[in-house]
Amino acid sequence: PESQRTQTLGEQFDPDLVLQRQGNPEKGNAIFFGEGGTQCKSCHRIRGAGGDFGPDLSSIGTKYTRRQLLDTIANPSLRVEPPFVTQVITTHRGQVYSGLLVGEDNEQILLKVYRADQVEIVPFRLDQLEERVSQPTSLMPERLLRDMTPQQAADLVDFLASLRQPNADLETRTD
């Protein structure tokens, strides 16, 4: 019956459903580094653990409040820092790549792409390019919190808020 189903946040939710709860950073750590679910660890790194595609979050708690962290997760395209602006490259052969610009000179550009669960740096000679467009949307997927309960989201937010320095007291576990 619906009354016995786990109540998740769904597509649109009131942020206060999450922010009024006290989160458990240890449980948030498990959500961040867990298998399935949000897959945060695939792109983000904390104190050397996790992926190397998106921003390093080792001290994200010094940059954003709990509300801002929740807002950033729920609406990843609202604020995209310049190094993480999505670049879409189309080659003369019609191949299309999306990724992050990591280097550029008068002859080539280097694009960091994520494919097949791997981060690759792909070089493109400028004479190979048909088009290069910066996108206003983040590569971070939308609706990551949709299937979480308000408490799970609070746990994740409080874990991120606890990340105040690279050697924070909370041990990052990846198991």
Side-chain angles (χ1 to χ4, degrees), residues 125-156:
R125 289 191 337 261
L126 293 180
D127 62 2
Q128 292 177 308
L129 303 184
E130 179 75 29
E131 184 177 45
R132 172 182 165 189
V133 179
S134 297
Q135 297 294 307
T137 55
S138 173
L139 285 171
M140 184 169 154
E142 302 281 336
R143 299 181 293 278
L144 287 173
L145 301 174
R146 177 186 58 206
D147 296 329
M148 285 189 185
T149 66
Q151 185 60 54
Q152 289 169 324
D155 294 341
L156 178 60

Side-chain angles (χ1 to χ4, degrees), residues 32-168:
F32 186 95
F33 286 104
E35 298 298 324
T38 61
Q39 291 293 307
C40 304
K41 71 174 182 180
S42 296
C43 293
H44 296 285
R45 181 174 298 242
I46 295 174
R47 292 181 228 112
D52 188 24
F53 192 70
D56 185 308
L57 303 180
S58 296
S59 60
I60 195 71
T62 61
K63 186 173 185 176
Y64 296 118
T65 65
R66 289 177 76 239
R67 182 171 294 277
Q68 290 169 326
L69 287 166
L70 177 62
D71 193 37
T72 298
I73 299 166
N75 305 295
S77 293
L78 284 180
R79 278 181 235 108
V80 181
E81 301 281 331
F84 301 100
V85 170
T86 305
Q87 301 291 315
V88 177
I89 303 293
T90 305
T91 68
H92 288 302
R93 291 183 168 174
Q95 297 170 306
V96 178
Y97 296 83
S98 289
L100 304 174
L101 184 66
V102 293
E104 174 175 27
D105 62 25
N106 291 332
E107 296 178 16
Q108 72 173 358
I109 64 170
L110 300 174
L111 196 68
K112 185 190 301 188
V113 298
Y114 187 85
R115 58 180 170 196
D117 292 332
Q118 281 186 235
V119 175
E120 297 177 32
I121 305 296
V122 180
F124 295 94
R125 289 191 337 261
L126 293 180
D127 62 2
Q128 292 177 308
L129 303 184
E130 179 75 29
E131 184 177 45
R132 172 182 165 189
V133 179
S134 297
Q135 297 294 307
T137 55
S138 173
L139 285 171
M140 184 169 154
E142 302 281 336
R143 299 181 293 278
L144 287 173
L145 301 174
R146 177 186 58 206
D147 296 329
M148 285 189 185
T149 66
Q151 185 60 54
Q152 289 169 324
D155 294 341
L156 178 60
V157 166
D158 279 15
F159 167 63
L160 295 171
S162 76
L163 300 173
R164 302 213 171 264
Q165 55 190 353
N167 297 321

